[in-house]
Amino acid sequence: MPRPPVRLEGVWAGYEGRVVLRGVDIEFPGGGITAVLGPSGCGKTTLLKVIAGLVEVLRGRVFFGDVEVTRLPPERRNVGMVFQDLALFPHMTVFENVAFGLRVRGVGGSELKRRVMEALELVGLDPVEFASRRVTELSGGQQQRVALARALVIEPEVLLLDEPLAHLDYKIRQRLVWELRRLQRRLGVTTIYVTHDQWEAMELADMLAVMRDGGVVQFGRPEEVYENPADEFVATFFGDANIMPARLLGEGEGLVAVRPEDVMPLPPGREAGPGFYVIEGYVEDRVFQGPLVRFEVRVDGVVVRSLVPRRIARGMPDRGPVRLVIPKGSVKRLGGRGARG
Amino acid sequence: MNPSRLLAAPLILYLIVFFYAPLLYIALVGASIEGFPRSYIEAVSRPEFHVFYIKGAAAATIATLMAIILSVPVAFYAAYYARRIERALIVVAMVSTFWVDVLLRALSLKLLFQAIGVSPGFWPMVVGLAYEVLPIVFIASYLGASQAPRELIDAARTLGAGPLQAFARVALPISAPWIAAGAAASFVYSFADYAVPSLLGGTTGFTVGNLIYTLILEGDRWGVGSAVAVMLTLVSAAGAALLFGRLYRIEVGR
């Protein structure tokens, strides 16, 4: 199966005269998973629909590998898509839902049956038990698997997933995310996964695109994006960040971001090394979060969040004065339009 | 009793007073005058009546088919592709004929036919019936089309179906029960209609409605007339029950 990269060049798109995407340039690497992360209304679903051919491109071009698909109708793109509401065909059984893409391609008889059964097994549904069930009788997680099987059975070159797990319970979501990751590694299909959930994005993505207001604000490996957020929006949308005003040497006033896990309390009687900033604060709240404990520390009228491993947090007071240390390298200067004036 | 059931009371009372009680009265009086089941046997077996039934059924069937052919494409266009304002305009345009009284509509059609030199008969009557039932079929088809959300069509398209295939394999099967319900309502309505056949049917376009009218008000055959009316009602009710049962099963996914 070819694994073409998907490239958008200056794509503008929208519906009924409303422009949603405003000049998107991006290349989704072939064979990998790219997570597209952004708040609702940022255009991430429209981006997927542009790739699927379901939304008209007003300006710009779309490529699968070297092939331009900008004006190709969806049925000629060989794209597998899992919709946000799954869009399973309610009048068909599980088998017929999965078989749909094969039937319209003229596959029939024993080959049809074999491929549908294989696809069901691939997504972890027992074909014997589920093939003849109606999709409306299934649980959310099972419906999810059917939708995935239906999209994969046609052996798509590109797999598009539009917040497929949004409606599921946490535990099922977690399991499906892990399964999805394994499955994608095995199949190697170019995958674009749209979500507003940063945890899903971190779990799945080889590459991460953060979107806002119809544009891609940052694109890179998740770790890179996490370490060097482009602006305040990215810093707070992908992971949590303390945004603080600071006077920067030679650059005047500006905003900096510090990840809460980079802010550590200094035990009494200890001194910090030269590589750290030390600030005085007052612990106002302590929130237990399982493996970590979050402290809310007031510093000069600003609340700074500090995320501390549970064992280290044991010796800390619930309230009271504290000294915080921040590694100098972890303070990131923020640029761009995300900064508050 | 659950007090919320009282909410249905005014309508039920209204229907009892103005529809079910008169119907029952006709049935009882009819049976008492000419005897039960003699009048029913006559209503079913008399060959002269069969012409009315067959002609009426044929006219109702053709009119319903015409209404379906005319309104289904518009309904799908409105549900899937029309912009919001366009959609509102289409729905209003299709339903607005309902705002004019049935008799007036039939009468105006009669005058229109006269003006272009078409005299009353079977086909003018069929056209008139189709005109009457068009809004019913359109509303049902539009509701049906709305049952298959755009996303299902999109899903079919990404899976490799062209626009026509997506329509035939996804949109149509899902909306079919609704279209069928509209068709059934349209058939019952036009089968029993009286105004259109009497104004546009001329001497050849008699239907069941005319038969009942003639039997009861002109022929003084209350018993047979009531038998025809009661049977017509029962057949319609059975059809409606079957269809709504099917719709319900689809709604709950059985």
Side-chain angles (χ1 to χ4, degrees), chain A residues 197-277:
Chain A
D197 184 301
Q198 50 165 306
W199 177 81
E200 283 179 15
M202 288 182 201
E203 282 286 334
L204 282 170
D206 303 316
M207 292 296 280
L208 176 75
V210 183
M211 283 189 72
R212 183 194 190 186
D213 296 340
V216 175
V217 276
Q218 196 169 3
F219 181 61
R221 286 180 36 242
E223 254 177 281
E224 283 167 18
V225 175
Y226 190 81
E227 303 252 330
N228 294 297
D231 59 21
E232 184 183 346
F233 170 76
V234 177
T236 52
F237 201 81
F238 188 55
D240 189 16
N242 292 297
I243 307 294
M244 296 181 279
R247 213 169 9 263
L248 300 151
L249 286 173
E251 293 179 73
E253 301 271 321
L255 285 179
V256 295
V258 183
R259 296 293 180 190
E261 68 271 24
D262 290 329
V263 180
M264 289 166 289
L266 191 64
R270 297 269 298 274
E271 289 306 318
F276 294 89
Y277 296 115

Side-chain angles (χ1 to χ4, degrees), chain A residues 88 92-95 97 120 125 129-147:
Chain A
L88 294 176
M92 297 182 190
T93 59
V94 168
F95 183 94
N97 263 277
L120 286 174
L125 286 177
E129 187 188 343
F130 285 99
S132 58
R133 298 267 291 272
R134 286 192 72 115
V135 289
T136 43
E137 294 169 5
L138 305 182
S139 72
Q142 290 162 346
Q143 290 184 337
Q144 183 54 56
R145 290 166 196 271
V146 175

Side-chain angles (χ1 to χ4, degrees), chain B:
Chain B
M1 190 179 81
N2 188 338
S4 64
R5 289 202 182 150
L6 285 174
L7 292 173
L11 177 61
I12 291 174
L13 205 64
Y14 181 90
L15 288 177
I16 287 174
V17 171
F18 292 108
F19 184 71
Y20 292 109
L23 190 69
L24 191 66
Y25 176 76
I26 289 177
L28 290 176
V29 170
S32 68
I33 288 178
E34 300 199 30
F36 181 86
R38 206 163 54 83
S39 55
Y40 283 76
I41 292 169
E42 187 182 339
V44 173
S45 59
R46 247 175 99 165
E48 302 96 302
F49 292 174
H50 290 171
V51 183
F52 288 89
Y53 300 149
I54 291 167
K55 262 198 177 162
T61 306
I62 299 168
T64 299
L65 283 176
M66 278 173 63
I68 290 175
I69 291 167
L70 289 172
S71 57
V72 166
V74 187
F76 274 96
Y77 176 80
Y80 288 144
Y81 298 108
R83 293 176 175 217
R84 206 175 291 175
I85 295 204
E86 209 181 342
R87 185 181 307 155
L89 279 175
I90 291 171
V91 172
V92 168
M94 296 299 289
V95 177
S96 60
T97 56
F98 252 0
W99 300 340
V100 179
D101 179 76
V102 180
L103 266 175
L104 284 182
R105 273 187 286 164
L107 200 61
S108 61
L109 208 56
K110 184 187 165 89
L111 293 175
L112 209 65
F113 278 140
Q114 258 170 17
I116 57 172
V118 176
S119 45
F122 182 79
W123 288 105
M125 175 180 78
V126 168
V127 171
L129 287 174
Y131 179 40
E132 296 280 314
V133 297
L134 203 59
I136 302 174
V137 178
F138 173 77
I139 290 172
S141 314
Y142 180 71
L143 288 177
S146 316
Q147 298 304 305
R150 178 68 192 272
E151 211 165 53
L152 293 186
I153 309 296
D154 283 352
R157 295 292 300 278
T158 60
L159 289 167
L164 284 178
Q165 256 183 326
F167 176 77
R169 285 173 186 258
V170 176
L172 203 56
I174 291 175
S175 52
W178 294 80
I179 299 173
S186 148
F187 180 86
V188 166
Y189 185 94
S190 42
F191 189 53
D193 196 20
Y194 170 72
V196 171
S198 45
L199 281 170
L200 295 170
T203 48
T204 51
F206 279 156
T207 62
V208 184
N210 300 96
L211 178 62
I212 297 169
Y213 180 88
T214 311
L215 283 171
I216 292 182
L217 292 177
E218 289 174 4
D220 206 19
R221 294 296 312 275
W222 267 77
V224 185
S226 83
V228 175
V230 168
M231 281 191 296
L232 180 65
T233 310
L234 288 180
V235 167
S236 307
L242 259 171
L243 264 157
F244 283 107
R246 178 151 166 65
L247 276 184
Y248 176 73
R249 276 203 305 283
I250 284 174
E251 291 274 285
V252 298
R254 296 272 155 72

